[in-house]
Amino acid sequence: MSKYYEYFQDYSAKLLDYCRDTYQGIKKNPKWFLMRKIGRFSAARSLMSFFRTRPSQSSELSTNAQSFFPDINVDAIVESLEKNALFLGINLPQSLVQEILDFAMSTTCYGNRKPELGFYYPEYEQVQAKHTQPILVGAYYNTAAQCAVIKKLESDPTLLAITAKYLDTEPVHIGTSLWWSFPTSARPAQQAKAAQRFHFDLDDYRFLKFFFYLT
């Protein structure tokens, strides 16, 4: 009985989230909402990309000057992306990893991305002990404005060159995220909401993401 009850809870939570997200999406940004709904179909992505204006690439993107990744082979990475949709091997220098970790340790993160649930990472276990609901994520906001390394990553010429060649257009930066992902005994629906289960990211009709694991 408990198994079916838990399934019903998860299904109800997903349905409620879907209705809420649908309403908020239509209300705030109809174009974004449309992209989220039809962008999961490859034919729709191809069609929208064909009709959208694509600015030409800037010659400045071809240089690796002042990049954190001076020895990266852009062509080889793009070839892997086109073949496998994935490339492993772009790693931050350890000194930069440490700088970002120092920032994360000394800056407020927000449990489950809720503004009212702010804490410092070392306080996680104490904060979790006071809450009945599991805290799956500790997210940061406005990181580029507070961390110089993250700000420079947003305009790193090598990352921009990879993106430009892969998308065949001049890239536009649309967002940066930093977060802790905490292991918990949360329900599947809660894990899915925190992006801790298999999922399909969809940030635009054509986009590329770079992930850097810090721990």
Side-chain angles (χ1 to χ4, degrees):
M1 180 66 180
S2 60
K3 179 179 179 181
Y4 291 105
Y5 177 70
E6 183 175 327
Y7 172 81
F8 178 75
Q9 279 187 314
D10 290 338
Y11 180 81
S12 299
K14 287 181 180 179
L15 183 60
L16 181 61
D17 286 341
Y18 177 82
C19 293
R20 185 186 299 115
D21 291 345
T22 297
Y23 171 75
Q24 292 296 336
I26 295 175
K27 181 180 178 182
K28 292 184 177 180
N29 193 331
K31 289 184 178 180
W32 180 86
F33 175 77
L34 177 65
M35 181 276 295
R36 294 282 294 179
K37 295 308 173 186
I38 71 172
R40 296 189 180 277
F41 302 96
S42 58
R45 292 197 302 272
S46 298
L47 185 65
M48 292 299 295
S49 298
F50 178 79
F51 285 107
R52 294 174 84 182
T53 302
R54 297 165 65 183
S56 59
Q57 294 184 34
S58 170
S59 58
E60 297 178 358
L61 297 177
S62 62
T63 178
N64 285 349
Q66 300 180 345
S67 171
F68 289 140
F69 317 95
D71 301 321
I72 288 292
N73 187 325
V74 172
D75 292 338
I77 292 174
V78 173
E79 183 179 350
S80 176
L81 288 172
E82 291 175 343
K83 181 180 180 181
N84 306 310
L86 174 71
F87 177 82
L88 302 176
I90 304 179
N91 300 306
L92 282 175
Q94 189 57 42
S95 60
L96 301 185
V97 171
Q98 189 59 53
E99 190 171 336
I100 297 175
L101 282 175
D102 290 343
F103 165 78
M105 290 289 186
S106 59
T107 305
T108 302
C109 66
Y110 297 89
N112 296 335
R113 300 184 174 87
K114 295 181 178 179
E116 69 274 14
L117 192 53
F119 60 90
Y120 293 103
Y121 172 76
E123 302 171 339
Y124 166 70
E125 292 186 358
Q126 298 171 271
V127 174
Q128 178 62 90
K130 297 178 181 178
H131 289 77
T132 56
Q133 294 297 319
I135 301 174
L136 291 85
V137 172
Y140 297 84
Y141 296 109
N142 301 320
T143 55
Q146 303 176 68
C147 180
V149 172
I150 294 177
K151 180 62 177 178
K152 290 180 180 178
L153 275 172
E154 291 184 350
S155 58
D156 186 275
T158 298
L159 300 185
L160 292 176
I162 293 169
T163 310
K165 190 172 182 63
Y166 177 65
L167 299 179
D168 189 28
T169 188
E170 186 170 351
V172 176
H173 175 263
I174 60 175
T176 302
S177 299
L178 175 68
W179 73 96
W180 297 98
S181 187
F182 302 119
T184 70
S185 56
R187 299 197 306 272
Q190 293 172 312
Q191 292 177 324
K193 191 171 183 179
Q196 290 185 340
R197 297 177 69 84
F198 183 81
H199 63 281
F200 185 112
D201 283 343
L202 192 62
D203 294 349
D204 205 338
Y205 292 106
R206 303 172 72 239
F207 69 99
L208 181 64
K209 282 192 173 184
F210 295 90
F211 287 89
F212 298 101
Y213 290 94
L214 303 178
T215 69

